[in-house]
Amino acid sequence: MVAGGVLAYFALQTLQQWVPIMLGLAAASMLYVSVADLIPGLHRRPELQATVQQVVLIALGVATIWLVGDLAHSH
């Protein structure tokens, strides 16, 4: 674990330009997994109230991510 931490520390210094790409890939993977799990759940509950609730929750999630990103870039 210590060897991996030291290796990552020095590798990060030389591969700094790859960090945004790797973060994008990690985020895309997480989105895929969450959507792949979310969509079948939406199909099991087709009533309008459940659909509206899911859309509102998704919108709140997107808004939260946007807000955190906006706050992080403003400082």
Side-chain angles (χ1 to χ4, degrees):
M1 195 164 62
V2 173
V6 171
L7 180 66
Y9 175 77
F10 289 111
L12 186 60
Q13 291 178 352
T14 59
L15 300 173
Q16 190 68 32
Q17 71 273 10
W18 287 88
V19 171
I21 295 168
M22 293 297 147
L23 287 175
L25 287 171
S29 297
M30 291 300 295
L31 284 172
Y32 172 76
V33 169
S34 64
V35 168
D37 187 48
L38 180 65
I39 297 299
L42 287 174
H43 288 284
R44 283 191 289 269
R45 296 177 53 201
E47 59 270 1
L48 182 61
Q49 182 181 2
T51 302
V52 170
Q53 179 186 18
Q54 291 294 330
V55 169
V56 167
L57 290 173
I58 291 169
L60 285 172
V62 170
T64 301
I65 292 169
W66 173 81
L67 181 63
V68 169
D70 193 46
L71 290 173
H73 290 287
S74 68
H75 293 285

